[in-house]
């Protein structure tokens, strides 16, 4: 059975897709708050499936997978979706969730004081404004735009008024990452976050992850990023997950041998680059 002492636990977890393809089998793993985990393995090993189960997106599986009560999970898919009706700033600020709604409502209430109001309307507005101020104070929500701008600068996000439908894949990913980090989840689940990112953006991502106080599970082929942010490595192999004990260089050699066995490295310059990073 799963245990409540961990932020996330899996017990005898398995996943078989329609048609009988089994990708995960009998997995039992748990981790504590603040864990920084890098997940590696060959293409098709089930890494993304594992992350989708943890994110609550994939719900058809055997065994148990359970987050602790109240745990706020932030998930970044391989191809994140942005709201096409909002510009870059709008998408990023939407990650602030309830805090932004409170500030927006506070501004609306404040603007109404310029109108002609009855005594009852004035008292109602004063009371609502006081309640909103208390909630915003508790959420530390008065400086949202400055916080968002700092995050956008750190991740090299495009200009705030840019149309998200015209952004490149890497630019969309940076916007989605910025939105996700501003939402301040307790645990980040990142599925290949370096796709479409240049080296400078990857370094910015590493800094953002290292400053994040919550837990993280990162699926990536980028050994350089893994070595910068992960404190523990999970290897997805042969339908199961096991913790890899040893230095990152030892794991690079292990993964290279696995790829050679599967004939995935022969003639594959991109895979060679991933392994040697």
């Amino acid at each position: 059975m799963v245990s409540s002492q961990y932020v996330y636990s899996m017990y005898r977890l398995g996943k078989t897709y329609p048609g009988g393809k089994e990708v995960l089998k009998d997995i039992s793993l748990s981790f504590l708050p603040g864990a920084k985990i890098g997940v590696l393995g060959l293409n098709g090993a089930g890494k993304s499936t594992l992350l989708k189960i943890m994110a609550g997106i994939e719900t058809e599986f055997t065994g148990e997978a359970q987050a602790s009560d109240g745990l706020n999970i932030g998930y970044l898919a391989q191809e994140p979706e942005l709201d096409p009706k909002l510009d870059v700033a709008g998408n990023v600020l939407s990650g602030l969730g309830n805090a932004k709604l409170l500030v927006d409502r506070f501004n609306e209430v404040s603007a109404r004081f310029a109108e002609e109001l009855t005594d009852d309307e004035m008292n109602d507005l004063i009371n609502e404004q006081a309640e909103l101020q208390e909630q915003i104070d508790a959420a530390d929500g008065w400086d949202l735009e400055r916080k968002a701008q700092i995050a956008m600068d750190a991740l090299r996000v495009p200009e705030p008024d840019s149309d998200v439908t015209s952004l490149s894949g890497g630019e969309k990913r940076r916007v989605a990452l910025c939105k996700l980090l501003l939402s301040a989840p307790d645990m980040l689940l990142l599925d290949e976050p370096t796709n479409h990112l240049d080296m400078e953006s990857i370094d910015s991502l590493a800094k953002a992850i290292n400053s994040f106080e919550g837990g993280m599970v990162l699926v990536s082929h980028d050994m350089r990023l893994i070595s910068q942010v992960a404190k523990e490595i999970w290897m997805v192999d042969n339908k199961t997950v096991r913790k890899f004990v040893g230095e990152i260089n030892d794991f690079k050699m292990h993964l290279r041998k696995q790829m050679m066995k599967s004939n995935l490295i022969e003639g594959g310059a991109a895979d060679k680059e991933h392994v040697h990073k």
Side-chain angles (χ1 to χ4, degrees):
M1 296 178 62
V2 296
S3 172
S4 60
Q5 68 177 316
Y6 299 103
V7 293
Y8 202 97
S9 297
M10 288 167 275
Y11 179 70
R12 305 200 70 175
L13 175 73
K15 172 65 183 178
T16 300
Y17 282 106
K21 182 182 178 181
E22 185 179 46
V23 291
L24 300 172
K25 180 179 180 181
D26 202 24
I27 296 170
S28 296
L29 286 169
S30 301
F31 52 93
L32 296 168
K36 299 291 195 297
I37 300 164
V39 182
L40 298 118
L42 300 178
N43 290 336
K47 303 183 300 296
S48 293
T49 299
L50 184 70
L51 226 60
K52 287 178 181 178
I53 290 174
M54 295 179 67
I57 296 172
E58 180 61 68
T59 58
E60 298 295 325
F61 55 86
T62 59
E64 299 179 60
Q66 180 177 308
S68 61
D69 290 341
L71 186 74
N72 180 19
I73 296 176
Y75 171 68
L76 180 76
Q78 285 196 29
E79 299 298 332
E81 295 184 1
L82 300 175
D83 188 338
K85 299 188 295 296
L86 301 175
D87 59 15
V88 165
N91 273 277
V92 169
L93 288 170
S94 68
L96 294 164
N98 190 55
K100 184 177 186 301
L101 295 177
L102 291 171
V103 171
D104 288 346
R105 179 55 186 166
F106 181 90
N107 292 334
E108 292 174 3
V109 170
S110 298
R112 287 206 60 198
F113 284 110
E115 303 173 5
E116 290 189 11
L117 302 169
T118 65
D119 289 343
D120 287 342
E121 288 173 331
M122 178 67 73
N123 288 332
D124 287 343
L125 286 178
I126 291 173
N127 290 333
E128 183 179 1
Q129 188 184 57
E131 291 176 3
L132 288 167
Q133 181 171 342
E134 183 177 340
Q135 294 178 64
I136 295 170
D137 286 341
D140 190 23
W142 289 111
D143 209 9
L144 298 181
E145 291 189 5
R146 185 184 70 84
K147 292 177 181 177
Q149 188 59 57
I150 290 173
M152 287 191 287
D153 290 343
L155 286 172
R156 301 172 62 244
V157 167
E159 290 299 315
D161 60 353
S162 299
D163 181 355
V164 298
T165 62
S166 64
L167 300 182
S168 68
E171 289 170 334
K172 289 179 180 179
R173 182 165 292 273
R174 294 201 296 273
V175 172
L177 278 167
C178 191
K179 172 185 174 181
L180 180 61
L181 290 169
L182 281 174
S183 70
D186 301 310
M187 183 171 69
L188 288 172
L189 304 178
L190 306 177
D191 194 356
E192 297 289 359
T194 60
N195 284 356
H196 313 300
L197 296 187
D198 56 30
M199 191 63 70
E200 189 174 353
S201 296
I202 293 172
D203 287 339
S204 297
L205 170 61
K207 290 178 183 178
I209 292 175
N210 283 326
S211 65
F212 177 68
E213 295 181 357
M216 176 208 70
V217 181
L218 165 68
V219 169
S220 179
H221 286 97
D222 193 321
M223 289 295 190
R224 184 170 176 268
L225 177 64
I226 290 287
S227 64
Q228 287 178 300
V229 302
K231 307 302 181 185
E232 179 179 321
I233 294 175
W234 289 358
M235 177 67 180
V236 183
D237 183 34
N238 195 27
K239 304 177 186 178
T240 191
V241 178
R242 62 183 178 84
K243 296 180 181 180
F244 184 83
V245 179
E247 298 295 327
I248 189 71
N249 286 334
D250 295 333
F251 185 82
K252 289 181 185 179
M253 186 61 67
H254 171 80
L255 185 60
R256 181 176 176 81
K257 289 179 180 177
Q258 292 296 106
M259 294 175 77
M260 291 178 71
K261 287 180 181 178
S262 300
N263 295 320
L264 293 179
I265 205 169
E266 186 176 337
D271 284 331
K272 290 180 183 178
E273 180 183 357
H274 282 143
V275 172
H276 287 293
K277 284 182 179 177

